[in-house]
Structure formats: structure tokens, C-alpha cells
Amino acid sequence: RSSLRCTVSGTTLSDANVADRDRLILTTIASPTALGKALAALGSASATLERFEAAVAAGDAPHEEELTRLFELVDAAPLDGLSEAQRGECRRRRKAIVARLEALSARAAAMPTTCQ
């Protein structure tokens, strides 16, 4: 099975000699919007937080520096170019992540440590 990769701009499929349209996979390349960038940053922070929460549940606390970096990542979510409604949605999501992160940080700090 082979695949052909080509970039077609301003032409039809038949002009590009594409005959088997049933097996055609189309993709587009678009730059993310300001909202997309902000939501991606918050989504990445949330995914990292979920991994840290699972680690704490398993008894393995993340290092304090990792939690600090995550706080910084959430704080640095790009809000430039957003409407007030979009900023409000991003702030709501950021506030929820920060609340979870603060709770996780408190649980991690309360965990017993072992010196080796």
C-alpha cells in the first residue's frame, strides 16, 4: 500500500489527477486562532495536572519545582487577541485548574517523605 502526498492549491481534484476519491484523506493546515492557542495551553496544563494527580494517588508526589512550573504554565496562557467572552471562558478554566493544582500541592506537601 502506498500513499501519495501532494499539496494542491487553487485546483480541482481532477486537475490534480486524483481518481480514487473514496480513499482520499484530506487535511488542512491552518494557524491556530488566539482562542485555540489559549485553550491548547490550558488543555496541556490540565493533562499534566491529571498525571500529577494520578502520581499522588499512587503515593508518588511530584517535586515542588514541577508544581511551580505548572502554576507558571497556567499563568502564562496567552489571552492576547481574545474577546471579553473568550477571556472570561479562559479565566474560568484557568481558575478551575489553579484550584485543583492548589489542592494537589497541599496533598503532596502533606505526604511523608523519605531521605535516601
Side-chain angles (χ1 to χ4, degrees):
R1 179 175 165 172
S2 65
S3 68
L4 172 65
R5 186 177 191 129
C6 66
T7 303
V8 179
S9 177
T11 186
T12 65
L13 293 175
S14 51
D15 289 342
N17 295 321
V18 175
D20 189 1
R21 294 183 183 142
D22 291 337
R23 300 184 63 151
L24 185 64
I25 300 171
L26 298 176
T27 60
T28 60
I29 300 172
S31 60
T33 64
L35 179 60
K37 289 177 186 177
L39 293 178
L42 293 173
S44 174
S46 183
T48 301
L49 179 56
E50 287 174 10
R51 286 194 307 274
F52 287 165
E53 287 170 332
V56 168
D60 184 24
H63 193 277
E64 183 178 325
E65 187 175 309
E66 292 176 304
L67 296 175
T68 300
R69 277 193 225 128
L70 188 53
F71 271 117
E72 291 169 349
L73 178 66
V74 171
D75 190 47
L79 300 180
D80 295 337
L82 299 180
S83 69
E84 281 305 310
Q86 292 171 331
R87 282 178 186 262
E89 175 61 21
C90 289
R91 285 186 190 116
R92 184 190 65 74
R93 290 181 188 211
R94 183 167 57 186
K95 187 175 181 178
I97 292 170
V98 167
R100 286 173 51 207
L101 189 49
E102 288 172 340
L104 177 69
S105 182
R107 283 194 315 268
M111 291 178 71
T113 59
T114 58
C115 296
Q116 295 180 352

